[in-house]
Amino acid sequence: MFSLRNFIKKGLLNAVGKMADYQVILNSAAWMEKGVLTEDDLAEIQIKIDAQYEEENIVCPEI
């Protein structure tokens, strides 16, 4: 069965790294205001946003 919540969340998670962070955040907040997404969904999206920057900060040990 189709779930609007899962559809929107999947789209927003896929947008991370492709759209500006503020756009993903504002879109997520708008869907939460409409009652489609929950705070837990927004937390999951924020974790993915944060993770993209953690990967960039990995430092290779000196040889």
Side-chain angles (χ1 to χ4, degrees), residues 2-62:
F2 179 77
S3 167
L4 179 61
R5 176 180 173 244
N6 290 336
F7 178 76
I8 297 298
K9 185 166 77 168
K10 181 179 178 182
L12 290 166
L13 287 168
N14 286 331
V16 173
K18 297 174 187 147
M19 290 175 56
D21 293 345
Y22 78 91
Q23 291 176 311
V24 175
I25 291 166
L26 291 175
N27 281 314
S28 300
W31 284 108
M32 189 181 88
E33 286 180 6
K34 293 177 184 179
V36 176
L37 295 179
T38 65
E39 283 190 40
D40 289 339
D41 296 328
L42 269 59
E44 185 178 342
I45 293 166
Q46 184 63 51
I47 288 168
K48 185 160 184 187
I49 290 171
D50 293 341
Q52 72 180 339
Y53 297 110
E54 289 174 7
E55 293 173 5
E56 291 176 3
N57 293 329
I58 295 174
V59 177
C60 294
E62 292 187 30

